[in-house]
Amino acid sequence: MLPFKLIYSDDYFLPIGAHVFPAEKYRRIRDRLISTGVATAKNFLEPQLASDEDILLVHTPEYVRKLKTGTLSPREEMELEVPFSPELVRAFWLAAGGSILAARQALTDRVAFNIGGGFHHAFPDHGEGFCMINDVAVAIRRMQRDDKIRTAMTADCDVHQGNGTAAIFAGTRTESVPLPSTSASMLSPTAAKTKMRGAHAGDVFTISLHQHNNYPQYKPPSSIDVDLPDGVGDDDYLAWLDNALSSGLRQFEPDLLCYIAGADPYREDQLGGLDLSIEGLKKRDELVFRVARARDIPVMVSYAGGYARDIEDTVTIHSNTVIAAKEVFCVLS
Ligand SMILES: [Zn+2]
């Protein structure tokens, strides 16, 4: 039995046909967690659809109208890179409802998972890269509107930069300054090429750790961007993540941490070019949870991408994130 909740619905399935995005991964993660005894059915909560009002906390009325009336232009539909349907719209509204519920649960249980969501390429006025609605941004704005939190931090560890999230929370920014990379000299030559950029002002602090040479081509600035070169492995990745989280938390005190736990930094990923192992990805999860626990910051997890050649690996990586939370939040509490 887990001391936290997993938000899940069979309707998270994205009706997109044959596609590199494994739409059935959510159900498989749920099944794996139950069949391996990590979780029981009682750990799961069913989300409700986000309301249009919730979605409008982040997205423009014009964009929401187009989605609800099925009137995206061919170009807008192409940018989304998944086939539009009313059922797809419903699945994204549900993912946003799931992230809202996960955020709320995190505030009471210290950690909660949306076994879905993490659609970080959705902008206020358009969707792209398989992402229609930025569920994490909607959850943050809803928690703020309900006076449950004032500030939040996103820690986006998907292999692709969180461009939508960065744009949504851009706010007013100060001049970008190079951050101290205390451990850079101790890292390998590969990591020495890594660039860390930072600038911040606003109520949501965004961190993105991603492969520089990958989608999206234009990367709007996050509060901290760690632009990793191709082929970065476990040790360098973990050092840069540690560095980014420490830098972020020196500058900013979040009431909620939103961890976007993409599985695509994995070395066998079809859309990624980093070299993390399954064990390294679990260490990544543990690091995020240990940092949050040490500072008593509630964590809401969402899953974002994962395109391993073998879908079972993607399911293992995402399931391990739950196991990592269980280990960090149970054993030590
Ligand atoms: Zn991704």
Side-chain angles (χ1 to χ4, degrees):
M1 188 73 179
L2 297 169
F4 52 83
K5 296 296 184 195
L6 309 170
I7 316 304
Y8 169 81
S9 166
D10 285 341
D11 294 338
Y12 278 174
F13 179 85
L14 300 176
I16 52 179
H19 196 282
V20 69
F21 191 98
E24 73 277 24
K25 77 172 181 180
Y26 308 122
R27 184 187 52 75
R28 286 185 183 230
I29 295 163
R30 179 189 189 276
D31 291 351
R32 173 81 70 85
L33 291 170
I34 289 179
S35 69
T36 53
V38 174
T40 68
K42 285 188 178 160
N43 295 128
F44 289 87
L45 288 181
E46 277 271 342
Q48 294 185 326
L49 291 171
S51 66
D52 293 352
E53 195 184 8
D54 295 330
I55 301 293
L56 288 164
L57 293 170
V58 168
H59 294 281
T60 63
E62 177 65 5
Y63 179 50
V64 171
R65 186 189 61 74
K66 285 181 188 172
L67 294 174
K68 299 205 71 143
T69 53
T71 50
L72 291 177
S73 71
R75 188 201 152 95
E76 287 168 325
E77 211 180 314
M78 198 183 68
E79 267 191 316
L80 208 48
E81 295 188 81
V82 282
F84 180 88
S85 67
E87 293 74 31
L88 188 68
V89 173
R90 188 179 186 280
F92 276 101
W93 255 245
L94 192 60
S99 283
I100 290 170
L101 184 52
R104 194 178 294 138
Q105 284 296 138
L107 296 174
T108 53
D109 299 339
R110 298 198 291 182
V111 60
F113 281 68
N114 187 6
I115 307 291
F119 295 112
H120 58 161
H121 301 311
F123 286 72
D125 62 351
H126 74 279
E128 58 177 69
F130 319 152
C131 301
M132 181 184 282
I133 293 293
N134 198 311
D135 53 284
V136 172
V138 170
I140 290 170
R141 289 301 188 219
R142 173 67 193 270
M143 292 303 107
Q144 290 177 322
R145 199 205 69 186
D146 292 351
D147 284 330
K148 303 247 185 234
I149 61 168
R150 285 179 307 107
T151 60
M153 176 179 280
T154 61
D156 190 335
C157 291
D158 190 275
V159 79
H160 305 102
Q161 196 236 10
N163 55 348
T165 313
I168 288 165
F169 295 120
T172 48
R173 289 188 181 278
T174 51
E175 187 70 18
S176 180
V177 287
L179 291 164
S181 51
T182 47
S183 52
S185 58
M186 294 156 62
L187 296 169
S188 73
T190 333
K193 281 186 238 150
T194 305
K195 291 203 174 51
M196 188 148 142
R197 299 178 272 120
H200 178 72
D203 57 2
V204 179
F205 193 102
T206 54
I207 297 176
S208 180
L209 209 78
H210 48 265
Q211 183 188 6
H212 178 67
N213 182 27
N214 202 328
Y215 171 89
Q217 191 173 11
Y218 171 65
K219 298 173 176 64
S222 311
S223 308
I224 293 178
D225 282 295
V226 183
D227 297 319
L228 299 164
D230 300 354
V232 162
D234 294 343
D235 291 347
D236 289 344
Y237 186 96
L238 292 170
W240 281 104
L241 175 59
D242 196 11
N243 199 348
L245 289 172
S246 309
S247 294
L249 290 168
R250 269 198 300 274
Q251 300 172 53
F252 192 82
E253 284 185 31
D255 297 328
L256 175 70
L257 179 66
C258 300
Y259 175 36
I260 295 146
D264 48 13
Y266 178 44
R267 59 169 60 123
E268 295 291 330
D269 197 87
Q270 299 174 83
L271 301 184
L274 298 185
D275 193 32
L276 273 72
S277 67
I278 288 178
E279 298 72 39
L281 285 158
K282 182 159 181 260
K283 284 187 187 151
R284 170 197 74 168
D285 300 333
E286 288 164 2
L287 174 58
V288 173
F289 294 135
R290 277 204 314 270
V291 166
R293 188 181 185 280
R295 293 170 185 257
D296 211 14
I297 305 165
V299 195
M300 168 219 148
V301 184
S302 62
Y303 274 153
Y307 316 91
R309 284 172 189 85
D310 181 351
I311 187 178
E312 289 303 311
D313 286 347
T314 298
V315 173
T316 299
I317 293 163
H318 285 318
S319 301
N320 281 348
T321 309
V322 177
I323 295 170
K326 188 178 185 176
E327 287 169 359
V328 170
F329 286 95
C330 285
V331 175
L332 300 174
S333 53

